[in-house]
Amino acid sequence: AQSVSQHNHHVILSEAASLELGCNYSYGGTVNLFWYVQYPGQHLQLLLKYFSGDPLVKGIKGFEAEFIKSKFSFNLRKPSVQWSDTAEYFCAVNARTGFQKLVFGTGTRLLVSP
Amino acid sequence: EAQVTQNPRYLITVTGKKLTVTCSQNMNHEYMSWYRQDPGLGLRQIYYSMNVEVTDKGDVPEGYKVSRKEKRNFPLILESPSPNQTSLYFCASSSTSGLAGANEQYFGPGTRLTVT
């Protein structure tokens, strides 16, 4: 069974700082990878996803993530955060076979101070 | 507007009183799923459904039931709620066309349940 680890539980940044959130997964087969964001009081929304092709994926709001297969990682990055990026970020993975189960990490709570 | 709706949004109930949380999607999605979100644990899948009359357990199915009689609806039933089911619940749906599992899941607004 697959699992997802997000090592940063809480991150505090000032506006304009660069962001990198770590995500590692464990699964031996082919996977699809996702980053979802949950703004305060709202439901989850997709930021970006990777399923094949270029391992550097660009998403909405200036976010990007890089899939490094050898490291089982899918870290999320943004060069310059804004106060409006304050949210909880979830990495998720499903297996290409047995994709019915989307497994989430425990989330990283990001606070951006103005 | 394409959306997943859940009702109620907030519910406070007592131990043992049966309740149902409804979920409906208007995107003609085959796949639907229920998750619970707890602090420090992220989202955990309760049940999922690949299509009408096809449901299966997720990671934390104990104490829950589901049904999928129509494609658009996927209610979550707590026959005898207990305090450890106090949580934030999300319903989600996605298409199953194209590359397996690569489709975005669309989430509902959440239902905050408190069982006393």
Side-chain angles (χ1 to χ4, degrees):
Chain A
Q2 57 268 38
S3 65
V4 180
S5 296
Q6 291 182 246
H7 306 294
N8 315 103
H9 299 295
H10 292 91
V11 174
I12 301 174
L13 295 172
S14 299
E15 275 195 314
S18 64
L19 170 72
E20 181 160 2
L21 301 182
C23 172
N24 288 90
Y25 69 93
S26 66
Y27 183 69
T30 304
V31 296
N32 304 306
L33 296 153
F34 306 82
W35 275 98
Y36 282 86
V37 61
Q38 186 178 31
Y39 297 104
Q42 296 189 27
H43 58 92
L44 278 81
Q45 305 169 45
L46 183 70
L47 266 182
L48 48 80
K49 66 180 181 181
Y50 171 82
F51 52 92
S52 66
D54 189 344
L56 184 61
V57 179
K58 295 191 184 301
I60 60 172
K61 305 188 181 187
F63 286 91
E64 65 179 32
E66 185 175 13
F67 171 49
I68 303 179
K69 190 174 181 180
S70 61
K71 295 185 177 180
F72 295 89
S73 69
F74 190 54
N75 292 354
L76 181 70
R77 299 194 292 249
K78 186 171 184 178
S80 175
V81 294
Q82 301 172 306
W83 175 79
S84 58
D85 293 324
T86 293
E88 191 159 16
Y89 293 81
F90 293 94
C91 182
V93 61
N94 62 15
R96 197 65 63 78
T97 55
F99 66 89
Q100 302 89 333
K101 182 175 291 188
L102 184 63
V103 178
F104 285 84
T106 54
T108 297
R109 204 174 283 272
L110 171 67
L111 175 63
V112 180
S113 57
Chain B
E1 180 191 354
Q3 60 182 349
V4 179
T5 57
Q6 294 178 228
N7 282 292
R9 296 288 312 280
Y10 302 91
L11 179 60
I12 300 174
T13 190
V14 297
T15 298
K17 185 176 181 182
K18 180 179 178 179
L19 66 91
T20 299
V21 183
T22 65
C23 172
S24 183
Q25 50 93 6
N26 63 3
M27 295 168 278
N28 202 37
H29 285 164
E30 300 83 7
Y31 176 90
M32 297 185 75
S33 183
W34 276 103
Y35 299 88
R36 59 178 290 173
Q37 183 180 17
D38 301 291
L41 296 177
L43 280 83
R44 293 177 292 168
Q45 189 179 48
I46 303 171
Y47 270 94
Y48 65 89
S49 169
M50 294 300 294
N51 215 322
V52 175
E53 302 293 359
V54 181
T55 64
D56 207 348
K57 297 177 181 178
D59 291 321
V60 289
E62 294 77 19
Y64 304 95
K65 284 175 56 176
V66 293
S67 69
R68 187 93 181 272
K69 292 183 169 51
E70 305 166 281
K71 197 172 187 179
R72 63 184 292 125
N73 296 323
F74 191 44
L76 179 69
I77 303 156
L78 285 72
E79 294 270 3
S80 183
S82 63
N84 64 12
Q85 292 178 298
T86 292
S87 187
L88 180 59
Y89 291 86
F90 287 100
C91 180
S93 74
S94 75
S95 168
T96 57
S97 63
L99 189 63
N103 296 312
E104 171 184 358
Q105 288 197 22
Y106 293 84
F107 285 81
T111 295
R112 189 167 290 281
L113 172 65
T114 301
V115 184
T116 61

mmCIF file of all heavy atoms in Angstrom, chain A residues 50-77:
data_model
loop_
_atom_site.group_PDB
_atom_site.id
_atom_site.type_symbol
_atom_site.label_atom_id
_atom_site.label_comp_id
_atom_site.label_asym_id
_atom_site.label_seq_id
_atom_site.Cartn_x
_atom_site.Cartn_y
_atom_site.Cartn_z
ATOM 1 N N TYR A 50 0.841 15.461 -11.351
ATOM 2 C CA TYR A 50 1.773 14.822 -12.273
ATOM 3 C C TYR A 50 1.287 13.396 -12.527
ATOM 4 O O TYR A 50 0.987 12.647 -11.585
ATOM 5 C CB TYR A 50 3.185 14.769 -11.691
ATOM 6 C CG TYR A 50 4.094 13.913 -12.542
ATOM 7 C CD1 TYR A 50 4.695 14.435 -13.674
ATOM 8 C CD2 TYR A 50 4.307 12.567 -12.251
ATOM 9 C CE1 TYR A 50 5.484 13.644 -14.492
ATOM 10 C CE2 TYR A 50 5.099 11.771 -13.060
ATOM 11 C CZ TYR A 50 5.669 12.318 -14.170
ATOM 12 O OH TYR A 50 6.447 11.528 -14.990
ATOM 13 N N PHE A 51 1.244 13.022 -13.810
ATOM 14 C CA PHE A 51 0.957 11.630 -14.122
ATOM 15 C C PHE A 51 1.909 11.058 -15.172
ATOM 16 O O PHE A 51 2.127 9.863 -15.249
ATOM 17 C CB PHE A 51 -0.494 11.415 -14.547
ATOM 18 C CG PHE A 51 -0.952 12.314 -15.647
ATOM 19 C CD1 PHE A 51 -0.863 11.948 -16.975
ATOM 20 C CD2 PHE A 51 -1.501 13.558 -15.352
ATOM 21 C CE1 PHE A 51 -1.289 12.782 -17.990
ATOM 22 C CE2 PHE A 51 -1.931 14.399 -16.358
ATOM 23 C CZ PHE A 51 -1.821 14.013 -17.684
ATOM 24 N N SER A 52 2.502 11.924 -15.997
ATOM 25 C CA SER A 52 3.493 11.441 -16.967
ATOM 26 C C SER A 52 4.169 12.645 -17.607
ATOM 27 O O SER A 52 3.754 13.788 -17.407
ATOM 28 C CB SER A 52 2.837 10.569 -18.043
ATOM 29 O OG SER A 52 1.968 11.344 -18.837
ATOM 30 N N GLY A 53 5.245 12.377 -18.355
ATOM 31 C CA GLY A 53 5.886 13.439 -19.112
ATOM 32 C C GLY A 53 6.868 14.249 -18.296
ATOM 33 O O GLY A 53 7.546 13.728 -17.409
ATOM 34 N N ASP A 54 6.950 15.541 -18.585
ATOM 35 C CA ASP A 54 7.900 16.443 -17.927
ATOM 36 C C ASP A 54 7.736 16.374 -16.411
ATOM 37 O O ASP A 54 6.646 16.621 -15.897
ATOM 38 C CB ASP A 54 7.661 17.870 -18.415
ATOM 39 C CG ASP A 54 8.735 18.854 -17.946
ATOM 40 O OD1 ASP A 54 9.498 18.534 -17.015
ATOM 41 O OD2 ASP A 54 8.792 19.956 -18.526
ATOM 42 N N PRO A 55 8.798 16.023 -15.690
ATOM 43 C CA PRO A 55 8.674 15.895 -14.233
ATOM 44 C C PRO A 55 8.508 17.222 -13.509
ATOM 45 O O PRO A 55 8.180 17.237 -12.331
ATOM 46 C CB PRO A 55 9.996 15.226 -13.832
ATOM 47 C CG PRO A 55 10.939 15.559 -14.917
ATOM 48 C CD PRO A 55 10.119 15.632 -16.172
ATOM 49 N N LEU A 56 8.728 18.320 -14.196
ATOM 50 C CA LEU A 56 8.494 19.626 -13.595
ATOM 51 C C LEU A 56 7.103 20.091 -14.022
ATOM 52 O O LEU A 56 6.851 20.347 -15.194
ATOM 53 C CB LEU A 56 9.562 20.627 -14.037
ATOM 54 C CG LEU A 56 9.474 22.017 -13.398
ATOM 55 C CD1 LEU A 56 9.624 21.920 -11.880
ATOM 56 C CD2 LEU A 56 10.523 22.938 -13.985
ATOM 57 N N VAL A 57 6.236 20.196 -13.052
ATOM 58 C CA VAL A 57 4.834 20.487 -13.331
ATOM 59 C C VAL A 57 4.491 21.872 -12.817
ATOM 60 O O VAL A 57 4.833 22.215 -11.678
ATOM 61 C CB VAL A 57 3.929 19.447 -12.639
ATOM 62 C CG1 VAL A 57 2.471 19.754 -12.911
ATOM 63 C CG2 VAL A 57 4.271 18.050 -13.093
ATOM 64 N N LYS A 58 3.820 22.631 -13.639
ATOM 65 C CA LYS A 58 3.380 23.962 -13.198
ATOM 66 C C LYS A 58 1.893 23.935 -12.917
ATOM 67 O O LYS A 58 1.106 23.327 -13.646
ATOM 68 C CB LYS A 58 3.716 24.998 -14.273
ATOM 69 C CG LYS A 58 5.217 25.160 -14.471
ATOM 70 C CD LYS A 58 5.543 26.356 -15.322
ATOM 71 C CE LYS A 58 7.050 26.438 -15.594
ATOM 72 N NZ LYS A 58 7.825 26.525 -14.329
ATOM 73 N N GLY A 59 1.523 24.600 -11.827
ATOM 74 C CA GLY A 59 0.126 24.641 -11.452
ATOM 75 C C GLY A 59 -0.404 26.060 -11.413
ATOM 76 O O GLY A 59 0.171 26.971 -11.994
ATOM 77 N N ILE A 60 -1.495 26.207 -10.673
ATOM 78 C CA ILE A 60 -2.112 27.520 -10.574
ATOM 79 C C ILE A 60 -1.373 28.390 -9.573
ATOM 80 O O ILE A 60 -0.612 27.880 -8.739
ATOM 81 C CB ILE A 60 -3.597 27.401 -10.174
ATOM 82 C CG1 ILE A 60 -3.726 26.709 -8.803
ATOM 83 C CG2 ILE A 60 -4.373 26.635 -11.239
ATOM 84 C CD1 ILE A 60 -5.138 26.734 -8.243
ATOM 85 N N LYS A 61 -1.585 29.689 -9.674
ATOM 86 C CA LYS A 61 -1.074 30.669 -8.717
ATOM 87 C C LYS A 61 0.438 30.644 -8.556
ATOM 88 O O LYS A 61 0.950 30.963 -7.486
ATOM 89 C CB LYS A 61 -1.760 30.471 -7.359
ATOM 90 C CG LYS A 61 -3.277 30.528 -7.463
ATOM 91 C CD LYS A 61 -3.956 30.535 -6.118
ATOM 92 C CE LYS A 61 -5.469 30.577 -6.313
ATOM 93 N NZ LYS A 61 -6.222 30.743 -5.077
ATOM 94 N N GLY A 62 1.155 30.268 -9.607
ATOM 95 C CA GLY A 62 2.613 30.321 -9.595
ATOM 96 C C GLY A 62 3.303 29.155 -8.913
ATOM 97 O O GLY A 62 4.516 29.172 -8.719
ATOM 98 N N PHE A 63 2.560 28.149 -8.517
ATOM 99 C CA PHE A 63 3.150 26.974 -7.883
ATOM 100 C C PHE A 63 3.699 26.014 -8.931
ATOM 101 O O PHE A 63 3.189 25.918 -10.040
ATOM 102 C CB PHE A 63 2.119 26.249 -7.020
ATOM 103 C CG PHE A 63 1.805 26.953 -5.743
ATOM 104 C CD1 PHE A 63 0.762 27.870 -5.668
ATOM 105 C CD2 PHE A 63 2.553 26.700 -4.599
ATOM 106 C CE1 PHE A 63 0.474 28.534 -4.488
ATOM 107 C CE2 PHE A 63 2.259 27.354 -3.408
ATOM 108 C CZ PHE A 63 1.231 28.270 -3.351
ATOM 109 N N GLU A 64 4.723 25.290 -8.545
ATOM 110 C CA GLU A 64 5.259 24.230 -9.369
ATOM 111 C C GLU A 64 5.738 23.094 -8.466
ATOM 112 O O GLU A 64 5.938 23.289 -7.263
ATOM 113 C CB GLU A 64 6.420 24.723 -10.244
ATOM 114 C CG GLU A 64 7.644 25.167 -9.485
ATOM 115 C CD GLU A 64 8.763 25.608 -10.411
ATOM 116 O OE1 GLU A 64 8.477 26.136 -11.509
ATOM 117 O OE2 GLU A 64 9.929 25.435 -10.028
ATOM 118 N N ALA A 65 5.901 21.925 -9.052
ATOM 119 C CA ALA A 65 6.398 20.781 -8.284
ATOM 120 C C ALA A 65 7.259 19.936 -9.212
ATOM 121 O O ALA A 65 7.030 19.869 -10.419
ATOM 122 C CB ALA A 65 5.248 19.957 -7.722
ATOM 123 N N GLU A 66 8.246 19.285 -8.607
ATOM 124 C CA GLU A 66 9.136 18.443 -9.376
ATOM 125 C C GLU A 66 9.073 17.018 -8.880
ATOM 126 O O GLU A 66 9.249 16.751 -7.683
ATOM 127 C CB GLU A 66 10.578 18.957 -9.292
ATOM 128 C CG GLU A 66 11.535 18.171 -10.177
ATOM 129 C CD GLU A 66 12.933 18.741 -10.184
ATOM 130 O OE1 GLU A 66 13.251 19.585 -9.334
ATOM 131 O OE2 GLU A 66 13.712 18.309 -11.063
ATOM 132 N N PHE A 67 8.809 16.118 -9.796
ATOM 133 C CA PHE A 67 8.777 14.693 -9.497
ATOM 134 C C PHE A 67 10.183 14.143 -9.694
ATOM 135 O O PHE A 67 10.740 14.225 -10.806
ATOM 136 C CB PHE A 67 7.787 13.986 -10.423
ATOM 137 C CG PHE A 67 7.820 12.494 -10.358
ATOM 138 C CD1 PHE A 67 7.772 11.836 -9.135
ATOM 139 C CD2 PHE A 67 7.892 11.735 -11.526
ATOM 140 C CE1 PHE A 67 7.779 10.444 -9.074
ATOM 141 C CE2 PHE A 67 7.900 10.348 -11.473
ATOM 142 C CZ PHE A 67 7.857 9.702 -10.245
ATOM 143 N N ILE A 68 10.770 13.617 -8.634
ATOM 144 C CA ILE A 68 12.074 12.970 -8.731
ATOM 145 C C ILE A 68 11.872 11.507 -8.375
ATOM 146 O O ILE A 68 11.754 11.140 -7.192
ATOM 147 C CB ILE A 68 13.119 13.627 -7.807
ATOM 148 C CG1 ILE A 68 13.251 15.111 -8.120
ATOM 149 C CG2 ILE A 68 14.475 12.930 -7.970
ATOM 150 C CD1 ILE A 68 14.240 15.863 -7.263
ATOM 151 N N LYS A 69 11.814 10.688 -9.410
ATOM 152 C CA LYS A 69 11.449 9.288 -9.223
ATOM 153 C C LYS A 69 12.438 8.557 -8.328
ATOM 154 O O LYS A 69 12.030 7.759 -7.480
ATOM 155 C CB LYS A 69 11.363 8.595 -10.582
ATOM 156 C CG LYS A 69 10.753 7.206 -10.546
ATOM 157 C CD LYS A 69 10.572 6.652 -11.944
ATOM 158 C CE LYS A 69 9.934 5.277 -11.908
ATOM 159 N NZ LYS A 69 9.749 4.728 -13.273
ATOM 160 N N SER A 70 13.714 8.844 -8.494
ATOM 161 C CA SER A 70 14.741 8.138 -7.725
ATOM 162 C C SER A 70 14.659 8.450 -6.238
ATOM 163 O O SER A 70 15.123 7.662 -5.414
ATOM 164 C CB SER A 70 16.132 8.510 -8.243
ATOM 165 O OG SER A 70 16.354 9.904 -8.096
ATOM 166 N N LYS A 71 14.066 9.582 -5.899
ATOM 167 C CA LYS A 71 13.938 9.985 -4.495
ATOM 168 C C LYS A 71 12.510 9.810 -3.981
ATOM 169 O O LYS A 71 12.224 10.146 -2.840
ATOM 170 C CB LYS A 71 14.362 11.440 -4.320
ATOM 171 C CG LYS A 71 15.838 11.709 -4.598
ATOM 172 C CD LYS A 71 16.193 13.147 -4.292
ATOM 173 C CE LYS A 71 17.681 13.395 -4.510
ATOM 174 N NZ LYS A 71 18.061 14.800 -4.207
ATOM 175 N N PHE A 72 11.625 9.323 -4.825
ATOM 176 C CA PHE A 72 10.208 9.168 -4.454
ATOM 177 C C PHE A 72 9.680 10.490 -3.878
ATOM 178 O O PHE A 72 8.996 10.506 -2.858
ATOM 179 C CB PHE A 72 10.042 8.035 -3.427
ATOM 180 C CG PHE A 72 10.408 6.686 -3.965
ATOM 181 C CD1 PHE A 72 11.708 6.219 -3.873
ATOM 182 C CD2 PHE A 72 9.467 5.889 -4.590
ATOM 183 C CE1 PHE A 72 12.070 4.984 -4.382
ATOM 184 C CE2 PHE A 72 9.810 4.643 -5.103
ATOM 185 C CZ PHE A 72 11.115 4.195 -5.005
ATOM 186 N N SER A 73 10.039 11.574 -4.535
ATOM 187 C CA SER A 73 9.651 12.870 -3.987
ATOM 188 C C SER A 73 8.850 13.681 -5.004
ATOM 189 O O SER A 73 8.967 13.481 -6.223
ATOM 190 C CB SER A 73 10.883 13.662 -3.550
ATOM 191 O OG SER A 73 11.640 14.069 -4.676
ATOM 192 N N PHE A 74 8.064 14.604 -4.470
ATOM 193 C CA PHE A 74 7.231 15.484 -5.292
ATOM 194 C C PHE A 74 7.082 16.786 -4.516
ATOM 195 O O PHE A 74 6.023 17.123 -4.005
ATOM 196 C CB PHE A 74 5.875 14.832 -5.566
ATOM 197 C CG PHE A 74 5.033 15.541 -6.599
ATOM 198 C CD1 PHE A 74 5.531 15.819 -7.855
ATOM 199 C CD2 PHE A 74 3.721 15.903 -6.314
ATOM 200 C CE1 PHE A 74 4.758 16.449 -8.813
ATOM 201 C CE2 PHE A 74 2.924 16.540 -7.263
ATOM 202 C CZ PHE A 74 3.462 16.814 -8.509
ATOM 203 N N ASN A 75 8.159 17.533 -4.435
ATOM 204 C CA ASN A 75 8.179 18.748 -3.618
ATOM 205 C C ASN A 75 7.502 19.910 -4.324
ATOM 206 O O ASN A 75 7.650 20.108 -5.529
ATOM 207 C CB ASN A 75 9.619 19.122 -3.275
ATOM 208 C CG ASN A 75 10.263 18.124 -2.333
ATOM 209 O OD1 ASN A 75 9.599 17.213 -1.843
ATOM 210 N ND2 ASN A 75 11.554 18.275 -2.104
ATOM 211 N N LEU A 76 6.803 20.693 -3.548
ATOM 212 C CA LEU A 76 6.071 21.860 -4.050
ATOM 213 C C LEU A 76 6.914 23.099 -3.838
ATOM 214 O O LEU A 76 7.500 23.279 -2.769
ATOM 215 C CB LEU A 76 4.749 22.008 -3.294
ATOM 216 C CG LEU A 76 3.844 23.165 -3.702
ATOM 217 C CD1 LEU A 76 3.245 22.918 -5.079
ATOM 218 C CD2 LEU A 76 2.733 23.352 -2.673
ATOM 219 N N ARG A 77 6.937 23.984 -4.848
ATOM 220 C CA ARG A 77 7.747 25.195 -4.741
ATOM 221 C C ARG A 77 6.979 26.403 -5.244
ATOM 222 O O ARG A 77 6.066 26.300 -6.079
ATOM 223 C CB ARG A 77 9.033 25.057 -5.565
ATOM 224 C CG ARG A 77 9.939 23.917 -5.140
ATOM 225 C CD ARG A 77 11.303 24.051 -5.745
ATOM 226 N NE ARG A 77 11.272 23.866 -7.195
ATOM 227 C CZ ARG A 77 11.807 22.818 -7.822
ATOM 228 N NH1 ARG A 77 12.380 21.865 -7.122
ATOM 229 N NH2 ARG A 77 11.783 22.736 -9.122
#
